Amino acid sequence: MTGRAAAPAAVIAGIGRYLPPDVVTNDDLAARLDTSDEWIRSRTGIASRHVIAPGTATSDLAVEAGRRALASAGGGGAEAVVLATTTPDQPCPATAPLVADRLGLGRVAAFDVSSVCSGFLYGLATAAGLIASGTAENVLLIAADAFTTIIDPADRSTAVIFADGAGAVLLRSGLPNEPGAVGRVVLGSDGSLGGLIEVPAGGSRQRSSGVAAGPGEDFFRMRGRETFRHAVGRMAESSRTALAAAGWDGPLAADRFAAHQANGRILTAVAEELGIPPERRLSNIERTGNTGAASLAVLLAEATARGELAAGHKTLLTAFGGGLAWGATSLLWPELKTVDD
Ligand code: UT7
């Protein structure tokens, strides 16, 4: 009897991150907005964030992070580039082909994934599918956002939270049970709540209406308090499903918990709901703010570089954001070299 061979798994073989050098502190924001360092720290856990210089685009961040992930994996290429972003360089074409070209990867498959702050997890599932189907042997997944380009600088409720950055992983074809193999990615969405996080204008709905965008409609808007509630519930729920899919014996089986860096209070609430103790929670929101799709990838790359996330750690990942869209997955963290610092 001949059985079908198991599909290859996507295995993380390299990781990198890039944060633009310019830093904005809470006091910098308080100098031009009706806010304070105390409010921002206590409500979000953020002290400072990295922002792009004028003229910089998402592809500039993505190329830097992608280059580092490729170097971390040993300097080879990739047969496909998947770029998770909410802030493409232009509405058309996708930004990934430009990034692939600038990385010198040749005429490889390249496309964008749009899933706001869950983009890295949606990108992981997409990259894993490319590998499982035999479309690509290895995939460079980059998650990058120049989020400050869609934030209304006068809106204190979002301007203090969102920031810019990029993270990347090189995924290679491997075995499902080896370190670094990405587990089942649990994904979900609820479009009926799309209005909680949106940029109202600039798409086909507004353009076909023949009515010009109203004041501020080109900017990102978030109904924070309602979003908060959904974020906690959906991340906790998808984390439990991912743990069960991995066959792990509940949240306490996870050595490390990495969640989208949306808000320090959200991270605490999700971890407490799951019963994950503080020393197992990874967080860098204090220094990065919320970098959208990039957030989880930047966190993983930074934690690896700092040794907070190391080979053998059973790691639980989860994210939540506009769409609404969310997800979670698990993996045994592999041995990785980092080249960031
Ligand atoms: O990444 C994608 C997913 N994103 C999230 O999951 C984010 C979810 N939401 C949040 O992180 C929080 O809801 C925020 C940080 C956005 C807001 O925190 P909050 O504790 O939910 O505050 P709130 O929106 O309920 O506002 C409380 C008060 C309001 O004043 P009043 O109405 O009570 O007088 C706001 O106007 O805080 C005011 N406020 C501010 N005050 C000083 C809002 N932003 C600021 C600010 N500085 N920057």
Side-chain angles (χ1 to χ4, degrees), residues 33-36 39-40 42-44 116-118 147 155-162 197 220 222-232 235 260-266 290-292 320-322 324:
L33 287 170
D34 181 16
T35 189
S36 66
W39 192 96
I40 302 170
S42 62
R43 294 298 186 115
T44 71
V116 201
C117 297
S118 300
F147 227 96
D155 178 3
R156 67 177 182 173
S157 70
T158 53
V160 304
I161 300 172
F162 290 93
I197 296 177
F220 177 92
M222 179 170 71
R223 303 220 302 263
R225 208 177 297 183
E226 282 167 272
T227 302
F228 194 118
R229 193 165 46 82
H230 291 290
V232 175
M235 285 198 278
H260 163 52
Q261 302 290 288
N263 176 320
R265 288 187 296 139
I266 292 178
N290 179 339
T291 56
F320 174 89
L324 299 178

Side-chain angles (χ1 to χ4, degrees), residues 5-25:
V11 176
I12 296 183
I15 195 161
R17 72 189 191 280
Y18 177 74
L19 295 170
D22 291 356
V23 172
V24 171
T25 66

Side-chain angles (χ1 to χ4, degrees), residues 85-96:
T85 187
T86 308
T87 55
D89 287 15
Q90 304 163 229
C92 175
T95 304

Side-chain angles (χ1 to χ4, degrees), residues 12-272:
I12 296 183
I15 195 161
R17 72 189 191 280
Y18 177 74
L19 295 170
D22 291 356
V23 172
V24 171
T25 66
N26 292 347
D27 285 338
D28 294 334
L29 291 170
R32 64 173 180 79
L33 287 170
D34 181 16
T35 189
S36 66
D37 177 52
E38 198 283 324
W39 192 96
I40 302 170
R41 276 182 200 264
S42 62
R43 294 298 186 115
T44 71
I46 301 167
S48 63
R49 71 284 289 143
H50 291 256
V51 301
I52 55 167
T56 305
T58 293
S59 63
D60 301 320
L61 308 176
V63 165
E64 289 302 326
R67 201 188 308 283
R68 291 165 189 201
L70 290 168
S72 157
E79 292 177 4
V81 174
V82 177
L83 175 65
T85 187
T86 308
T87 55
D89 287 15
Q90 304 163 229
C92 175
T95 304
L98 172 66
V99 172
D101 180 60
R102 285 179 56 191
L103 286 169
L105 294 174
R107 296 176 178 167
V108 297
F111 59 97
D112 293 358
V113 166
S114 176
S115 193
V116 201
C117 297
S118 300
F120 181 68
L121 285 183
Y122 271 77
L124 266 187
T126 305
L130 292 173
I131 288 173
S133 65
T135 303
E137 275 285 305
N138 44 51
V139 178
L140 179 61
L141 167 63
I142 308 174
D145 264 321
F147 227 96
T148 57
T149 59
I150 56 171
I151 292 298
D152 178 352
D155 178 3
R156 67 177 182 173
S157 70
T158 53
V160 304
I161 300 172
F162 290 93
D164 306 325
V169 289
L170 191 279
L171 296 150
R172 65 164 171 79
S173 176
L175 300 171
N177 58 356
E178 66 176 302
V182 177
R184 180 182 153 208
V185 188
V186 175
L187 298 173
S189 77
D190 184 353
S192 73
L193 295 171
L196 292 186
I197 296 177
E198 63 173 345
V199 177
S204 57
R205 179 74 64 202
Q206 176 257 318
R207 291 166 80 110
S208 76
S209 73
V211 179
E217 286 182 356
D218 280 333
F219 285 128
F220 177 92
R221 293 176 182 174
M222 179 170 71
R223 303 220 302 263
R225 208 177 297 183
E226 282 167 272
T227 302
F228 194 118
R229 193 165 46 82
H230 291 290
V232 175
R234 296 288 88 79
M235 285 198 278
E237 179 186 80
S238 50
S239 292
R240 286 197 189 96
T241 310
L243 289 165
W248 292 3
D249 190 18
L252 273 178
D255 301 307
R256 292 292 180 271
F257 176 61
H260 163 52
Q261 302 290 288
N263 176 320
R265 288 187 296 139
I266 292 178
L267 302 176
T268 302
V270 177
E272 282 180 354

Side-chain angles (χ1 to χ4, degrees), residues 317-340:
L317 314 182
T318 187
F320 174 89
L324 299 178
W326 57 85
T329 193
S330 67
L331 75 162
L332 185 64
W333 202 249
E335 184 76 50
L336 293 171
K337 279 195 221 107
T338 53
V339 294
D340 296 273

